[in-house]
Amino acid sequence: MTQAAPTLPLTVDDAMVRAALPSLDVLGTLRRMFAALGQARAVQPPQTLTLFPGQAGDFITYLGALADEQVFGAKLSPYIVTGGKPVVTAWTALMSMRTGQPLMWCDAQRLTIERTAGTTALAVDCLAPGDAKRLAVIGTGAVGLAHLRHAAALRDWETIRVHSPALAGNAAMRAELARLDPRARPADSVDACVRDADVVMLCTSSGVPVLGDGMLTRPALVTSISTNVAQAHEIPPAWLPDMDVYCDYRHTTPASAGEMQRAVAEHGWRVERIAGDLPALVQRACPAPSRTRHAFFRSIGLGLEDVAIAHALYTHLTRA
């Protein structure tokens, strides 16, 4: 059998990614990917952590395969110890399931931000009440601002409150909030930001809880993302037994999410109590939140998200 001649992959740097992003349907891409995962048309292995020799750092490998798109790939994200600030990058390799040849090698840092925020937005769209009016966002880094951008159109928000210590006295950042959405208003504290909120999106790098007892004054949907801190948890693990809990993928998330690990070890919570994940949510195959108590959505980031968004980028660039 004659094999196809090797081809050089398309190499995409950050500038090319930035220029292409406005043309990508991030939410639609992720919705289709999670539906495929729920239909066994995609495979999501656990992520792997590999240590560098001599305590020089590590790298995480995020893998995934998509049957309908006939692609597979891996994102490699190293954490490199230096004499000062560590080096953290991310690059995705996209390959063809038809030919076995490489299709694209792309800078994935900006894509990671987009797929992280897009996954949260998909969860909000699936889990938040249709009449939700009050949105709260904690964190104004690149990930937090992307969350605001992706969530802004999901509901007819009457108020959008945003809190971050970085907003204090920062006129440029406040102007950026107003540019992203005129409804976005800075809040002076976490308490003021989340009070009476219907949806609270936690977008921090904190390794300890951002929310505390008594802050949430009504049943709310709380979303949380991952950080590099070991066993990071943006909400108290003790809350989980009294919440409707959801995640991006129930087969991998509980082993990595810090609050889930601690809730199991310290508070009698069981992984079996997860009400649903995104593959089930997009197919309406799991219960909706009760609305009588808080709901919690936890994402850790999946290789399939990286592969799906990389494929969307590749399709856009090769059709342009």
mmCIF file of all heavy atoms in Angstrom, residues 98-123:
data_model
loop_
_atom_site.group_PDB
_atom_site.id
_atom_site.type_symbol
_atom_site.label_atom_id
_atom_site.label_comp_id
_atom_site.label_asym_id
_atom_site.label_seq_id
_atom_site.Cartn_x
_atom_site.Cartn_y
_atom_site.Cartn_z
ATOM 1 N N ARG A 98 -7.299 10.518 8.927
ATOM 2 C CA ARG A 98 -7.355 9.839 7.629
ATOM 3 C C ARG A 98 -5.962 9.448 7.135
ATOM 4 O O ARG A 98 -5.752 8.340 6.654
ATOM 5 C CB ARG A 98 -8.026 10.744 6.592
ATOM 6 C CG ARG A 98 -9.486 11.063 6.866
ATOM 7 C CD ARG A 98 -10.093 11.828 5.700
ATOM 8 N NE ARG A 98 -11.492 12.155 5.932
ATOM 9 C CZ ARG A 98 -11.922 13.294 6.460
ATOM 10 N NH1 ARG A 98 -11.040 14.228 6.825
ATOM 11 N NH2 ARG A 98 -13.207 13.520 6.642
ATOM 12 N N THR A 99 -5.022 10.388 7.228
ATOM 13 C CA THR A 99 -3.699 10.163 6.639
ATOM 14 C C THR A 99 -2.605 9.933 7.667
ATOM 15 O O THR A 99 -1.517 9.476 7.318
ATOM 16 C CB THR A 99 -3.294 11.369 5.776
ATOM 17 O OG1 THR A 99 -3.084 12.509 6.634
ATOM 18 C CG2 THR A 99 -4.366 11.691 4.746
ATOM 19 N N GLY A 100 -2.873 10.289 8.925
ATOM 20 C CA GLY A 100 -1.833 10.207 9.936
ATOM 21 C C GLY A 100 -0.806 11.313 9.834
ATOM 22 O O GLY A 100 0.204 11.294 10.551
ATOM 23 N N GLN A 101 -1.064 12.287 8.965
ATOM 24 C CA GLN A 101 -0.121 13.374 8.757
ATOM 25 C C GLN A 101 -0.473 14.572 9.646
ATOM 26 O O GLN A 101 -1.640 14.794 9.983
ATOM 27 C CB GLN A 101 -0.131 13.818 7.288
ATOM 28 C CG GLN A 101 0.329 12.748 6.317
ATOM 29 C CD GLN A 101 1.766 12.332 6.573
ATOM 30 O OE1 GLN A 101 2.628 13.161 6.856
ATOM 31 N NE2 GLN A 101 2.026 11.032 6.478
ATOM 32 N N PRO A 102 0.531 15.365 10.017
ATOM 33 C CA PRO A 102 0.259 16.568 10.809
ATOM 34 C C PRO A 102 -0.438 17.627 9.968
ATOM 35 O O PRO A 102 -0.112 17.816 8.795
ATOM 36 C CB PRO A 102 1.656 17.032 11.235
ATOM 37 C CG PRO A 102 2.571 16.501 10.180
ATOM 38 C CD PRO A 102 1.976 15.189 9.749
ATOM 39 N N LEU A 103 -1.411 18.294 10.582
ATOM 40 C CA LEU A 103 -2.144 19.358 9.901
ATOM 41 C C LEU A 103 -1.707 20.740 10.365
ATOM 42 O O LEU A 103 -1.545 21.650 9.552
ATOM 43 C CB LEU A 103 -3.651 19.202 10.151
ATOM 44 C CG LEU A 103 -4.297 17.909 9.671
ATOM 45 C CD1 LEU A 103 -5.746 17.851 10.134
ATOM 46 C CD2 LEU A 103 -4.204 17.790 8.159
ATOM 47 N N MET A 104 -1.527 20.887 11.669
ATOM 48 C CA MET A 104 -1.241 22.222 12.202
ATOM 49 C C MET A 104 -0.493 22.115 13.521
ATOM 50 O O MET A 104 -0.719 21.200 14.312
ATOM 51 C CB MET A 104 -2.552 22.999 12.407
ATOM 52 C CG MET A 104 -2.365 24.442 12.865
ATOM 53 S SD MET A 104 -3.938 25.356 12.949
ATOM 54 C CE MET A 104 -4.727 24.536 14.340
ATOM 55 N N TRP A 105 0.388 23.068 13.732
ATOM 56 C CA TRP A 105 1.111 23.248 14.993
ATOM 57 C C TRP A 105 0.875 24.695 15.385
ATOM 58 O O TRP A 105 1.302 25.608 14.685
ATOM 59 C CB TRP A 105 2.583 22.943 14.769
ATOM 60 C CG TRP A 105 3.524 23.122 15.924
ATOM 61 C CD1 TRP A 105 4.603 23.955 15.964
ATOM 62 C CD2 TRP A 105 3.517 22.432 17.175
ATOM 63 N NE1 TRP A 105 5.264 23.835 17.168
ATOM 64 C CE2 TRP A 105 4.615 22.908 17.934
ATOM 65 C CE3 TRP A 105 2.681 21.468 17.746
ATOM 66 C CZ2 TRP A 105 4.902 22.451 19.219
ATOM 67 C CZ3 TRP A 105 2.965 21.013 19.026
ATOM 68 C CH2 TRP A 105 4.059 21.498 19.748
ATOM 69 N N CYS A 106 0.122 24.922 16.469
ATOM 70 C CA CYS A 106 -0.296 26.295 16.746
ATOM 71 C C CYS A 106 -0.051 26.698 18.190
ATOM 72 O O CYS A 106 -0.137 25.878 19.116
ATOM 73 C CB CYS A 106 -1.768 26.500 16.394
ATOM 74 S SG CYS A 106 -2.940 25.675 17.470
ATOM 75 N N ASP A 107 0.254 27.976 18.357
ATOM 76 C CA ASP A 107 0.336 28.577 19.684
ATOM 77 C C ASP A 107 -1.057 28.509 20.302
ATOM 78 O O ASP A 107 -2.028 29.003 19.729
ATOM 79 C CB ASP A 107 0.799 30.030 19.556
ATOM 80 C CG ASP A 107 1.098 30.670 20.900
ATOM 81 O OD1 ASP A 107 0.308 30.466 21.840
ATOM 82 O OD2 ASP A 107 2.112 31.386 21.009
ATOM 83 N N ALA A 108 -1.164 27.892 21.472
ATOM 84 C CA ALA A 108 -2.483 27.617 22.043
ATOM 85 C C ALA A 108 -2.811 28.451 23.271
ATOM 86 O O ALA A 108 -3.855 28.234 23.887
ATOM 87 C CB ALA A 108 -2.595 26.131 22.395
ATOM 88 N N GLN A 109 -1.969 29.401 23.632
ATOM 89 C CA GLN A 109 -2.266 30.161 24.848
ATOM 90 C C GLN A 109 -3.565 30.949 24.716
ATOM 91 O O GLN A 109 -4.423 30.921 25.601
ATOM 92 C CB GLN A 109 -1.098 31.089 25.184
ATOM 93 C CG GLN A 109 0.095 30.349 25.780
ATOM 94 C CD GLN A 109 1.133 31.277 26.382
ATOM 95 O OE1 GLN A 109 1.660 32.145 25.710
ATOM 96 N NE2 GLN A 109 1.427 31.085 27.651
ATOM 97 N N ARG A 110 -3.722 31.659 23.624
ATOM 98 C CA ARG A 110 -4.941 32.446 23.432
ATOM 99 C C ARG A 110 -6.147 31.525 23.199
ATOM 100 O O ARG A 110 -7.252 31.797 23.674
ATOM 101 C CB ARG A 110 -4.756 33.411 22.260
ATOM 102 C CG ARG A 110 -5.732 34.570 22.243
ATOM 103 C CD ARG A 110 -5.385 35.529 21.119
ATOM 104 N NE ARG A 110 -4.077 36.127 21.289
ATOM 105 C CZ ARG A 110 -3.856 37.276 21.930
ATOM 106 N NH1 ARG A 110 -4.867 37.933 22.469
ATOM 107 N NH2 ARG A 110 -2.634 37.769 22.027
ATOM 108 N N LEU A 111 -5.932 30.432 22.482
ATOM 109 C CA LEU A 111 -7.017 29.473 22.263
ATOM 110 C C LEU A 111 -7.465 28.841 23.578
ATOM 111 O O LEU A 111 -8.652 28.551 23.767
ATOM 112 C CB LEU A 111 -6.568 28.381 21.295
ATOM 113 C CG LEU A 111 -6.364 28.787 19.838
ATOM 114 C CD1 LEU A 111 -5.871 27.591 19.027
ATOM 115 C CD2 LEU A 111 -7.641 29.347 19.230
ATOM 116 N N THR A 112 -6.519 28.615 24.493
ATOM 117 C CA THR A 112 -6.874 28.044 25.793
ATOM 118 C C THR A 112 -7.780 28.990 26.569
ATOM 119 O O THR A 112 -8.758 28.563 27.200
ATOM 120 C CB THR A 112 -5.607 27.731 26.603
ATOM 121 O OG1 THR A 112 -4.809 26.779 25.884
ATOM 122 C CG2 THR A 112 -5.958 27.157 27.969
ATOM 123 N N ILE A 113 -7.477 30.270 26.526
ATOM 124 C CA ILE A 113 -8.334 31.259 27.187
ATOM 125 C C ILE A 113 -9.742 31.206 26.606
ATOM 126 O O ILE A 113 -10.742 31.187 27.333
ATOM 127 C CB ILE A 113 -7.733 32.667 27.036
ATOM 128 C CG1 ILE A 113 -6.436 32.779 27.838
ATOM 129 C CG2 ILE A 113 -8.731 33.741 27.467
ATOM 130 C CD1 ILE A 113 -5.651 34.045 27.558
ATOM 131 N N GLU A 114 -9.822 31.147 25.276
ATOM 132 C CA GLU A 114 -11.129 31.166 24.619
ATOM 133 C C GLU A 114 -11.921 29.897 24.904
ATOM 134 O O GLU A 114 -13.122 29.953 25.183
ATOM 135 C CB GLU A 114 -10.952 31.352 23.109
ATOM 136 C CG GLU A 114 -10.423 32.712 22.720
ATOM 137 C CD GLU A 114 -11.319 33.850 23.179
ATOM 138 O OE1 GLU A 114 -12.544 33.777 22.965
ATOM 139 O OE2 GLU A 114 -10.791 34.810 23.767
ATOM 140 N N ARG A 115 -11.271 28.746 24.853
ATOM 141 C CA ARG A 115 -12.031 27.513 25.085
ATOM 142 C C ARG A 115 -12.414 27.388 26.552
ATOM 143 O O ARG A 115 -13.455 26.819 26.888
ATOM 144 C CB ARG A 115 -11.290 26.291 24.564
ATOM 145 C CG ARG A 115 -9.929 25.947 25.163
ATOM 146 C CD ARG A 115 -10.030 25.142 26.445
ATOM 147 N NE ARG A 115 -8.860 24.330 26.709
ATOM 148 C CZ ARG A 115 -8.473 23.971 27.927
ATOM 149 N NH1 ARG A 115 -9.117 24.400 29.006
ATOM 150 N NH2 ARG A 115 -7.418 23.193 28.073
ATOM 151 N N THR A 116 -11.597 27.932 27.467
ATOM 152 C CA THR A 116 -11.952 27.908 28.885
ATOM 153 C C THR A 116 -13.198 28.748 29.135
ATOM 154 O O THR A 116 -14.157 28.302 29.781
ATOM 155 C CB THR A 116 -10.783 28.428 29.736
ATOM 156 O OG1 THR A 116 -9.641 27.597 29.528
ATOM 157 C CG2 THR A 116 -11.143 28.429 31.219
ATOM 158 N N ALA A 117 -13.192 29.965 28.619
ATOM 159 C CA ALA A 117 -14.350 30.842 28.789
ATOM 160 C C ALA A 117 -15.558 30.310 28.031
ATOM 161 O O ALA A 117 -16.698 30.388 28.511
ATOM 162 C CB ALA A 117 -14.001 32.253 28.322
ATOM 163 N N GLY A 118 -15.323 29.754 26.852
ATOM 164 C CA GLY A 118 -16.425 29.212 26.069
ATOM 165 C C GLY A 118 -17.091 28.030 26.745
ATOM 166 O O GLY A 118 -18.317 27.867 26.686
ATOM 167 N N THR A 119 -16.297 27.195 27.415
ATOM 168 C CA THR A 119 -16.865 26.052 28.135
ATOM 169 C C THR A 119 -17.735 26.521 29.290
ATOM 170 O O THR A 119 -18.837 26.000 29.518
ATOM 171 C CB THR A 119 -15.738 25.141 28.641
ATOM 172 O OG1 THR A 119 -15.022 24.612 27.515
ATOM 173 C CG2 THR A 119 -16.287 23.991 29.468
ATOM 174 N N THR A 120 -17.262 27.519 30.032
ATOM 175 C CA THR A 120 -18.091 28.077 31.104
ATOM 176 C C THR A 120 -19.370 28.675 30.536
ATOM 177 O O THR A 120 -20.462 28.480 31.091
ATOM 178 C CB THR A 120 -17.314 29.151 31.881
ATOM 179 O OG1 THR A 120 -16.163 28.565 32.484
ATOM 180 C CG2 THR A 120 -18.181 29.764 32.973
ATOM 181 N N ALA A 121 -19.256 29.403 29.432
ATOM 182 C CA ALA A 121 -20.440 30.016 28.824
ATOM 183 C C ALA A 121 -21.445 28.950 28.399
ATOM 184 O O ALA A 121 -22.664 29.126 28.566
ATOM 185 C CB ALA A 121 -20.030 30.872 27.632
ATOM 186 N N LEU A 122 -20.960 27.843 27.863
ATOM 187 C CA LEU A 122 -21.855 26.755 27.480
ATOM 188 C C LEU A 122 -22.578 26.206 28.707
ATOM 189 O O LEU A 122 -23.788 25.935 28.665
ATOM 190 C CB LEU A 122 -21.059 25.653 26.789
ATOM 191 C CG LEU A 122 -21.842 24.424 26.319
ATOM 192 C CD1 LEU A 122 -22.960 24.809 25.356
ATOM 193 C CD2 LEU A 122 -20.898 23.412 25.666
ATOM 194 N N ALA A 123 -21.853 26.060 29.809
ATOM 195 C CA ALA A 123 -22.479 25.584 31.046
ATOM 196 C C ALA A 123 -23.524 26.568 31.551
ATOM 197 O O ALA A 123 -24.612 26.167 31.986
ATOM 198 C CB ALA A 123 -21.409 25.353 32.112
#
